[in-house]
């Protein structure tokens, strides 16, 4: 009997040390068996052998077939096998899968290979055939398992999808789920995303309604699908020893909204509320003039789901993409596929790089003596551009390597332009090569400029070198000065002090604009840090903003910890001054200490977007509960908080991350 | 003209409709035993001193409370109270205009007691209206009737504190009886001014059934009252008492269940919506 509550409970019951043991054992054996086999179909064959052997468990409470069986690892297992592992972090073209089936995609690949006529294209098509047949056989085995349990709807779907086109709402979800599971857990890669889910699922939803299904039934079915995404364990990396409960390794993003939110967009929100789990993250691409009921439902959902949602300013992103030369149709189809990073439709291949911006900045300050902020910024831009150019050049050189893996085509089947080109996505020749270059610590840099300008260039209380000596000496014996600096109004209070962080941000983006790129390359520069403020902070010397050596620097687009003292509207106004209209990614996390009404959230976010804001994610935290959870984790297994660009179980975080969450400014 | 304020707080979502900026006036005619803004009572500038932060550096020794530029290096001592012009306040308030527009919010005068600086409050409200702002005034209701009517002309909604229905108890708890407050409440009703009745429930003081009954009876006779908000007592003012060199009141806080029970009790005795503030 399908049971939402039960499948949800099962994700919490998983053993902390368990892993997808079957995969490990089978791959371990196959790797030995195929030692010395170097033909172009090596990986497709390994994939095929794996799928032919893994079990096909279905539980009584399951809505959809496709789950992995976990158990404690064997004693000799050191790490999960990366034999088949791909890069993940992409949005699959599920729209074409649902319309044409894998069979349709495969027949296109053969046509294209025929047209191209080269050996590599034929090899690609042959591999595609092995992979598609393996998936077809696997879904057939699952169909038999479903039939033997008496699950006829499930069995019927699995005899058809994903090989053939989906024929109804249920089969569409079943087909997507099987592919998603295979890519994530069997091949093993993280963060595959569902793309513009409300767009391609709409016809199936409308057909179901026409045929007499109720919205409640479909919402429940979708909630069952959503809960499954919490079973995905990524590349199993977190399944050895450190796996928290439940495994949060792979993030699943469902994008809705955009140009024309539809009736199904609202069903997605309702299903997310019903499942109420960290995965999938619901990403709403919000137009300020979107349909009123969709807007209302979005903020009602945000007020309940809090950290489990992201809201992006759709118009701002489309505008930024068009400025980068992306054609309007492609631009309008953008999606987010992982924490604060985005894809262009299903064409893009993306890489990402976090530049050590605060360290680069400190290097600039120490390299010579300056007499104005302008001089510092000019040098800063040169150094940033060098770092970015170097990254781009190295990335380009890296693409041609590892030819064998390039010929493994599961991901490429599901990316439109890869299938068309008969080439693996990561050969550097995708229609759009998106290089996300992130800027961590922008407020730390901006506030440092503010302090230098105030104390050295304007008030002339110190010469440049005197002041930099104080900074380099970690403010030793200068605690009064440091406290004075700390108490100075900084970025985040909607004052003139924001100017310096804005200048630092513009310098970063200007450097990105000057990097030499191939025609299909695009730099998506943004203000985002993931965890770098805490990971790199300990290695970074003191900064002029009063931050001592080793302390964390500023997170994402946010001010430095505790610098924003004028409340959340002032904060939002400060951040909206950053040149966000030239970015398409990056995050802002707002932490509230009390539940905020949907009306207030709506006003807050839409006002912020009107002012030029890009993204909002929120957390509502009960500080006492978090402190108690640190001591009594078993009581708080389902307590989630917002981290970077997604939701995490608080008790699964290492202590330093728990403290980082507690350190954030809370808005009352 | 200038006024004496404690501070201007942006993003207030419990001081009237929508997202608001609240201006806290300094100076209040009442002396409630439970006051959680004790620094708002005295209309003059005052020192706030946090002894546990003090490093005894001596830098504040020769500084006057009027010296606005003083900044204690460790934040142990600060000046409470700021002299500001109405223009300065409005300039700060207007920074969040975009947020008011989308939420139906605006400016709220609170305190302390806005009526205690009538002329300044009036000028501020007039200027707020010139700037198309929604206006709210949170008041203890203890002011001149003529002044309140003037204020009401530029006020969209009053958040009217009503603490105690028994005049003797009111005098004992706050230093004044509730006669003038009741008159002003009736005045706002006569003026048809939307009023939210705010009831701070303080354990051991006004948390009596007959007080709840009487407040319901009063509210039910006033067409202007569109809502009743229950404000649970909280002890956040404690550190400020210490900083002012005064003993903090020792009052236990209610549990969530007790507050819910009070809301239920009052809700059953009136048609007016009742919620927690």
């Amino acid at each position: 009997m399908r049971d939402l509550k039960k499948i949800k409970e099962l994700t919490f019951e998983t053993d902390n040390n368990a892993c997808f043991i079957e995969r490990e054992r089978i791959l371990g054996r196959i790797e030995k068996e195929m030692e010395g086999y170097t033909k172009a179909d090596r990986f497709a064959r390994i994939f095929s052998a794996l799928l032919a052997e893994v079990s096909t468990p279905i539980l009584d409470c399951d809505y959809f077939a496709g789950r992995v069986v976990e158990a404690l690892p064997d004693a000799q297992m050191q790490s999960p096998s990366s034999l088949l592992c791909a890069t993940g972090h992409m949005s699959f073209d599920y729209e074409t899968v649902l319309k044409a089936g894998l069979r349709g995609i495969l027949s296109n690949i053969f046509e294209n290979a025929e047209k191209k006529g080269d050996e590599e294209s034929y090899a690609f098509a042959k591999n595609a055939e092995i992979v598609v047949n393996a998936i077809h056989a696997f879904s057939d085995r699952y169909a038999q398992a479903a039939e033997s349990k008496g699950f006829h709807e499930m069995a019927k779907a699995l005899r058809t999808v994903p090989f053939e086109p989906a024929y109804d709402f249920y089969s569409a979800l079943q087909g997507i789920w099987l592919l998603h599971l295979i890519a994530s857990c069997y091949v093993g890669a993280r963060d595959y995303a569902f793309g513009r889910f409300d767009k391609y699922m709409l016809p199936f939803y409308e057909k179901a309604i026409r045929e007499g299904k109720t919205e409640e039934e479909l919402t429940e079915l979708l909630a069952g699908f959503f809960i499954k995404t919490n079973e995905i364990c990524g590349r199993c990396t977190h399944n050895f020893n450190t796996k928290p409960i439940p495994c949060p390794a792979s993030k699943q993003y469902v994008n809705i909204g955009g140009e024309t939110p539809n009736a199904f967009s609202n069903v997605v929100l309702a299903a997310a509320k019903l499942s109420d789990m960290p995965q999938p993250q619901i990403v709403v691409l919000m137009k300020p003039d979107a349909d009123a009921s969709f807007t209302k439902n979005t903020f009602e959902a945000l007020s309940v789901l809090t950290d489990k949602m992201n809201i992006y300013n759709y118009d701002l992103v489309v505008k930024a993409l068009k400025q980068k030369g992306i054609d309007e149709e492609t631009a309008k189809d953008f999606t987010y596929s992982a924490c604060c990073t985005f894809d262009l439709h299903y064409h893009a291949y993306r890489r990402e790089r976090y530049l050590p911006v605060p360290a680069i900045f400190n290097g600039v300050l120490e390299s010579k003596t300056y007499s104005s902020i302008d001089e510092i910024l000019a040098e800063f831009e040169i150094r940033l551009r060098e770092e970015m150019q170097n990254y781009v050049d190295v990335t380009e050189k890296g693409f041609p390597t590892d030819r064998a893996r390039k010929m493994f085509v599961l991901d490429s089947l599901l990316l439109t332009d890869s299938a068309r080109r008969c080439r693996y996505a990561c050969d550097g020749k995708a229609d759009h090569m998106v290089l996300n270059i992130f800027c961590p610590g922008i407020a730390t840099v901006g506030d440092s400029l503010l302090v230098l300008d105030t104390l050295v260039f304007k008030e002339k209380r110190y010469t440049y070198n005197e002041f930099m000596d104080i900074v380099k000496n970690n403010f030793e014996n200068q605690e009064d000065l440091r406290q004075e600096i700390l108490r100075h109004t900084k970025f985040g209070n909607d004052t003139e002090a924001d100017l310096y962080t804005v200048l630092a941000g513009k310098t970063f983006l200007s450097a990105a604009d000057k990097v030499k790129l191939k025609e299909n390359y695009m730099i998506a520069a943004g203000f985002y840090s993931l965890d770098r403020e805490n990971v790199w902070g300990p290695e970074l010397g003191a900064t002029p903003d009063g931050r001592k050596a080793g302390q964390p620097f500023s997170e994402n687009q946010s001010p430095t910890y505790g610098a924003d003292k004028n409340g959340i509207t002032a904060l939002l106004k400060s951040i909206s001054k950053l040149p966000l209209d030239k970015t398409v990614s990056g995050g802002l996390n707002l932490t509230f200490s009390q539940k905020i009404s949907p009306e207030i959230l709506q006003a807050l976010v839409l006002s912020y977007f009107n002012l030029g804001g890009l993204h909002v994610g929120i957390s509502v935290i009960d500080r006492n509960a978090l402190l108690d959870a640190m001591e009594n984790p078993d009581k708080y297994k389902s307590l989630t908080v917002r981290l970077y660009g997604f939701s995490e179980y608080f008790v699964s975080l290492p202590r330093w991350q728990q403290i980082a969450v507690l350190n954030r400014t809370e808005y009352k | 003209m200038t006024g004496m304020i404690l501070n201007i707080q942006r993003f207030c979502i419990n001081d009237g409709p929508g997202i608001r900026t609240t201006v806290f006036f300094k100076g209040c005619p009442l002396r409630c035993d439970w006051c959680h803004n004790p620094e708002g009572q005295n209309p003059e500038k005052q020192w706030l001193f946090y002894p546990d932060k003090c490093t005894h550096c001596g830098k504040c020794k020769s500084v006057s409370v009027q010296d606005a530029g003083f900044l204690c290096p460790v934040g142990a001592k600060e000046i409470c109270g700021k002299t500001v012009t109405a223009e300065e306040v409005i300039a700060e308030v207007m920074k969040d205009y975009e947020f008011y527009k989308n939420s139906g919010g605006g400016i709220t005068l609170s305190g302390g007691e806005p009526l205690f600086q009538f002329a300044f409050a009036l000028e501020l409200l007039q200027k707020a209206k010139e700037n198309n702002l929604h206006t709210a005034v949170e008041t203890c209701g203890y002011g001149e009737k003529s002044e309140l009517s003037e204020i009401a002309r530029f006020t969209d909604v009053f958040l009217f504190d009503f603490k105690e229905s028994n005049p003797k108890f009111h005098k004992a708890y706050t230093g004044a009886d509730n006669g003038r407050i009741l008159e002003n409440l009736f005045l706002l009703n006569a003026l048809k001014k939307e009023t939210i009745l705010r009831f701070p429930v303080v354990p051991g003081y006004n948390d009596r059934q007959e007080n709840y009954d009487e407040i319901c009876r009063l509210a039910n006779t006033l067409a202007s009252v569109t809502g009743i908000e229950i404000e649970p007592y909280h002890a956040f003012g404690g550190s400020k008492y210490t900083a002012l060199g005064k003993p903090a009141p020792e009052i236990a806080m209610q549990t969530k269940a007790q507050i819910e029970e009070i809301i239920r009790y009052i809700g059953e005795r009136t048609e007016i919506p009742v919620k927690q503030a």
Side-chain angles (χ1 to χ4, degrees):
Chain A
M1 179 75 182
R2 289 171 177 175
D3 187 341
L4 279 186
K5 200 164 154 255
K6 183 72 191 161
I7 55 169
K8 192 168 165 175
E9 276 169 13
L10 285 173
T11 64
F12 288 97
E13 284 170 14
T14 163
D15 189 309
N16 207 31
N17 292 308
C19 68
F20 184 12
I21 190 81
E22 247 189 323
R23 172 189 189 270
E24 298 310 306
R25 287 179 184 154
I26 296 169
L27 283 182
R29 198 197 67 234
I30 296 174
E31 191 170 13
K32 279 189 199 129
E33 285 170 7
M34 294 198 54
E35 214 174 357
Y37 185 86
T38 55
K39 287 187 185 164
D41 61 1
R42 171 180 159 84
F43 290 94
R45 285 188 179 283
I46 294 170
F47 173 80
S48 183
L50 173 68
L51 279 200
E53 200 173 329
V54 283
S55 60
T56 51
I58 300 170
L59 302 183
D60 287 345
C61 57
D62 273 334
Y63 286 70
F64 298 96
R67 60 166 58 245
V68 301
V69 181
E70 292 192 319
L72 292 176
D74 300 338
Q76 74 278 14
M77 283 182 187
Q78 292 303 311
S79 61
S81 169
S82 58
L83 190 59
L84 285 178
C85 205
T87 53
H89 295 84
M90 54 181 79
S91 308
F92 284 151
D93 182 4
Y94 284 130
E95 186 172 356
T96 305
V97 173
L98 295 180
K99 277 185 187 159
L102 292 180
R103 189 170 66 145
I105 293 174
L106 187 62
S107 98
N108 264 337
I109 288 174
F110 270 101
E111 273 174 35
N112 292 333
E114 200 68 43
K115 275 184 220 153
K116 290 176 77 125
D118 61 294
E119 194 189 332
E120 203 171 341
S121 298
Y122 282 124
F124 182 92
K126 279 286 185 201
N127 274 329
E129 191 173 31
I130 295 171
V131 168
V132 167
N133 288 339
I135 295 170
H136 192 188
F138 181 62
S139 66
D140 264 347
R141 285 206 293 129
Y142 245 126
Q144 285 163 30
E147 202 62 75
S148 66
K149 281 192 82 78
F151 292 176
H152 304 302
E153 186 184 22
M154 188 187 277
K156 184 184 165 197
L158 287 161
R159 276 195 297 271
T160 311
V161 293
F163 185 66
E164 298 286 355
Y167 53 85
D168 69 358
F169 188 77
Y170 179 84
S171 67
L173 291 179
Q174 176 63 77
I176 293 172
W177 175 246
L178 207 65
L179 283 176
H180 215 74
L181 182 78
I182 291 169
S184 305
C185 293
Y186 292 74
V187 174
R190 295 180 50 166
D191 297 9
Y192 290 101
F194 296 99
R196 299 289 278 272
F197 191 69
D198 56 345
K199 213 172 155 187
Y200 62 76
M201 280 299 294
L202 178 67
F204 298 98
Y205 168 75
E206 286 176 336
K207 181 168 174 267
I209 293 288
R210 275 199 307 274
E211 289 171 357
K213 298 267 187 210
T214 66
E215 192 164 311
E216 288 71 33
E217 281 174 81
L218 299 173
T219 305
E220 185 191 324
L221 213 49
L222 187 55
F225 175 84
F226 283 171
I227 292 172
K228 294 294 279 182
T229 62
N230 292 276
E231 294 169 12
I232 284 181
C233 49
R235 192 168 69 82
C236 309
T237 36
H238 293 262
N239 281 21
F240 282 75
N241 303 324
T242 57
K243 187 180 85 170
I245 297 173
C247 178
S250 186
K251 311 301 172 202
Q252 315 293 311
Y253 286 66
V254 162
N255 291 248
I256 59 170
E259 200 67 32
T260 47
N262 56 49
F264 185 63
S265 316
N266 291 316
V267 177
V268 170
L269 292 168
K273 281 201 281 185
L274 190 58
S275 59
D276 191 20
M277 291 195 79
Q279 307 302 330
Q281 285 278 299
I282 304 297
V283 181
V284 176
L285 310 175
M286 177 58 74
K287 267 177 87 72
D289 55 353
D291 171 70
S293 73
F294 175 68
T295 305
K296 185 166 173 276
N297 288 336
T298 295
F299 289 101
E300 273 175 10
L302 181 64
S303 133
V304 180
L305 292 171
T306 62
D307 47 84
K308 302 167 186 99
M309 281 179 76
N310 288 279
I311 317 279
Y312 273 95
N313 185 346
Y314 173 81
D315 286 346
L316 194 81
V317 175
V318 170
K319 196 176 142 206
L321 289 172
K322 278 157 71 179
Q323 274 173 3
K324 286 178 187 294
I326 306 296
D327 70 87
E328 186 158 354
E329 282 316 300
T330 309
K332 283 178 173 175
D333 260 346
F334 75 91
T335 75
Y336 290 92
S337 63
C339 41
C340 291
T341 52
F342 87 109
D343 271 333
L344 278 169
H345 199 34
Y346 316 113
H347 302 290
Y349 184 73
R350 55 166 280 257
R351 284 281 177 94
E352 63 190 28
R353 165 82 166 172
Y354 294 83
L355 274 199
V357 172
I360 294 170
F361 180 71
N362 262 5
V364 166
L365 294 185
E366 286 165 19
S367 66
K368 53 177 127 161
T369 303
Y370 299 91
S371 55
S372 74
I373 291 298
D374 289 345
E375 278 180 23
I376 296 174
L377 287 171
E379 183 66 21
F380 187 39
E381 185 181 316
I382 291 169
R383 291 287 297 279
L384 286 170
R385 182 163 53 82
E386 284 169 1
E387 289 278 343
M388 291 181 194
Q389 190 69 59
N390 184 41
Y391 162 63
V392 171
D393 294 346
V394 168
T395 304
E396 267 182 30
K397 282 188 195 123
F399 282 130
T401 59
D402 204 359
R403 184 172 183 281
R405 190 173 303 170
K406 275 195 303 180
M407 299 313 296
F408 174 62
V409 287
L410 177 67
D411 289 354
S412 312
L413 276 173
L414 305 172
L415 293 170
T416 322
D417 72 313
S418 293
R420 192 193 68 236
R421 294 186 302 112
C422 296
R423 290 293 186 275
Y424 191 68
C426 71
D427 66 354
K429 290 173 183 159
D431 287 2
H432 298 285
M433 292 296 307
V434 180
L435 304 175
N436 285 282
I437 300 185
F438 294 123
C439 173
I442 191 66
T444 296
V445 172
D447 287 345
S448 294
L449 288 167
L450 161 75
V451 172
L452 281 167
D453 203 25
T454 309
L455 296 183
V456 178
F457 303 135
K458 283 183 177 160
E459 293 178 5
K460 299 190 191 304
R461 277 166 60 183
Y462 303 90
T463 67
Y464 181 83
N465 290 331
E466 278 167 1
F467 185 72
M468 283 309 297
D469 281 344
I470 292 172
V471 176
K472 272 186 271 182
N473 287 329
N474 202 20
F475 297 94
E476 285 299 316
N477 303 317
Q478 295 285 344
E479 195 51 27
D480 278 2
L481 170 66
R482 196 175 85 87
Q483 289 300 329
E484 183 195 331
I485 291 172
L486 289 178
R487 288 166 65 85
H488 200 288
T489 302
K490 302 268 182 43
F491 175 69
N493 295 289
D494 191 21
T495 67
E496 286 171 7
D498 297 339
L499 171 75
Y500 296 88
T501 300
V502 174
L503 282 174
K506 284 184 173 166
T507 304
F508 181 80
L509 295 184
S510 168
D513 281 344
K514 288 175 183 156
V515 173
K516 290 193 184 85
L517 296 170
K518 284 185 176 171
E519 209 170 301
N520 64 328
Y521 279 48
M522 179 188 121
I523 289 183
F527 304 105
Y528 184 54
S529 58
L530 192 64
D531 57 1
R532 300 307 194 271
E533 73 280 0
N534 277 296
V535 174
W536 289 346
E539 307 298 320
L540 182 68
T543 38
D545 63 337
R547 179 193 145 279
K548 290 194 86 167
Q551 290 181 346
F553 49 81
S554 66
E555 176 187 337
N556 292 350
Q557 302 163 347
S558 299
T560 51
Y561 290 134
D564 48 328
K565 293 172 179 154
N566 275 356
I568 195 165
T569 49
L571 170 80
L572 293 176
K573 283 195 70 187
S574 288
I575 294 175
S576 69
K577 294 174 197 170
L578 288 172
L580 299 175
D581 57 338
K582 293 186 172 60
T583 66
V584 293
S585 59
L588 171 65
N589 292 327
L590 302 173
T591 303
F592 296 97
S593 60
Q594 64 180 50
K595 194 177 172 219
I596 306 292
S597 73
E599 295 77 22
I600 294 291
L601 283 174
Q602 178 174 333
L604 210 51
V605 174
L606 294 187
S607 303
Y608 175 54
F609 284 181
N610 280 346
L611 292 165
L614 171 68
H615 163 267
V616 171
I618 71 163
S619 258
V620 176
I621 65 164
D622 175 346
R623 209 179 164 74
N624 291 330
L626 294 187
L627 290 168
D628 193 33
M630 287 170 83
E631 303 309 317
N632 305 294
D634 285 346
K635 276 167 59 188
Y636 295 91
K637 274 187 181 178
S638 63
L639 174 70
T640 58
V641 290
R642 192 169 173 78
L643 202 71
Y644 320 129
F646 42 82
S647 184
E648 283 285 20
Y649 290 101
F650 184 72
V651 298
S652 75
L653 304 177
R655 206 156 180 93
W656 66 266
Q657 272 180 335
Q658 292 181 329
I659 291 166
V661 169
L662 283 163
N663 275 344
R664 287 189 194 140
T665 306
E666 286 169 46
Y667 299 97
K668 294 191 173 75
Chain B
M1 73 175 300
T2 61
M4 177 68 72
I5 62 165
L6 289 168
N7 65 321
I8 301 173
Q9 197 172 317
R10 295 162 72 172
F11 189 62
C12 294
I13 52 175
N14 295 314
D15 294 340
I19 295 170
R20 313 189 69 83
T21 296
T22 301
V23 184
F24 290 91
F25 282 53
K26 189 158 160 53
C28 181
L30 299 184
R31 290 292 179 271
C32 304
D33 282 357
W34 55 79
C35 180
H36 63 261
N37 274 337
E39 77 282 22
Q41 294 177 351
N42 184 328
E44 304 294 329
K45 284 187 182 178
Q46 285 170 288
W47 284 113
L48 290 177
F49 176 56
Y50 302 92
D52 50 335
K53 288 188 188 169
C54 182
T55 57
H56 305 282
C57 70
K59 286 185 180 157
C60 59
K61 269 192 179 156
S62 55
V63 182
S64 147
V65 77
Q66 302 302 333
D67 183 359
F70 172 72
L71 199 64
C72 168
V74 293
K77 202 165 179 180
E78 58 181 279
I79 296 160
C80 170
K82 244 189 309 193
T83 307
V84 288
T85 65
E87 286 81 6
E88 284 167 342
V89 174
I90 291 294
E92 182 67 17
V93 171
M94 287 304 286
K95 286 183 176 175
D96 278 351
Y97 191 73
E98 182 72 30
F99 296 94
Y100 313 143
K101 227 172 51 184
N102 280 314
S103 68
I107 183 174
T108 299
L109 312 192
S110 182
E113 172 52 51
L115 293 177
F116 204 65
Q117 297 181 60
F118 160 70
F120 180 61
L122 186 67
E123 186 183 346
L124 209 46
L125 289 166
Q126 281 171 331
K127 286 203 164 19
K129 279 294 159 203
E130 284 164 19
N131 284 282
N132 295 318
L133 291 174
H134 180 277
T135 54
V137 172
E138 181 172 26
T139 176
C140 68
Y142 196 86
E144 293 295 331
K145 266 173 102 170
S146 58
E147 293 179 352
L148 181 63
S149 349
E150 271 297 287
I151 292 281
R153 287 175 56 208
F154 303 96
T155 305
D156 294 310
V157 62
F158 281 90
L159 310 171
F160 199 106
D161 284 16
F162 194 82
K163 305 168 176 82
E164 174 58 63
S165 50
N166 182 315
K168 280 186 197 161
F169 288 160
H170 198 286
K171 185 160 172 64
Y173 300 158
T174 72
D177 72 35
N178 59 9
R180 188 190 278 199
I181 293 169
L182 278 166
E183 278 176 28
N184 281 333
L185 194 53
F186 293 130
L187 170 70
L188 293 181
N189 189 51
L191 293 171
K192 297 189 171 135
K193 261 302 150 195
E194 185 185 350
T195 303
I196 308 282
L197 216 55
R198 288 196 146 181
F199 175 35
V201 187
V202 189
Y205 284 86
N206 59 0
D207 58 340
R208 305 179 320 278
Q209 201 163 310
E210 78 265 17
N211 194 32
Y212 306 152
D213 292 341
E214 193 53 31
I215 286 173
C216 291
R217 198 197 57 75
L218 176 68
N220 288 338
T221 63
L222 300 168
S224 62
V225 175
T226 57
I228 298 176
E229 293 184 355
I230 310 300
E231 291 183 297
Y233 173 77
H234 65 73
F236 300 152
S239 65
K240 291 177 193 162
Y241 279 97
T242 312
L244 289 164
K246 293 178 179 175
E250 287 180 17
I251 302 170
M253 283 164 63
Q254 295 106 330
T255 63
K256 206 176 156 200
Q258 284 169 322
I259 293 296
E260 281 166 4
E261 175 55 22
I262 297 167
I263 291 173
R264 188 198 60 77
Y265 184 89
I266 293 178
E268 281 175 1
R269 281 155 184 78
T270 179
E271 298 287 301
I272 302 165
V274 184
K275 63 168 191 173
Q276 187 173 330

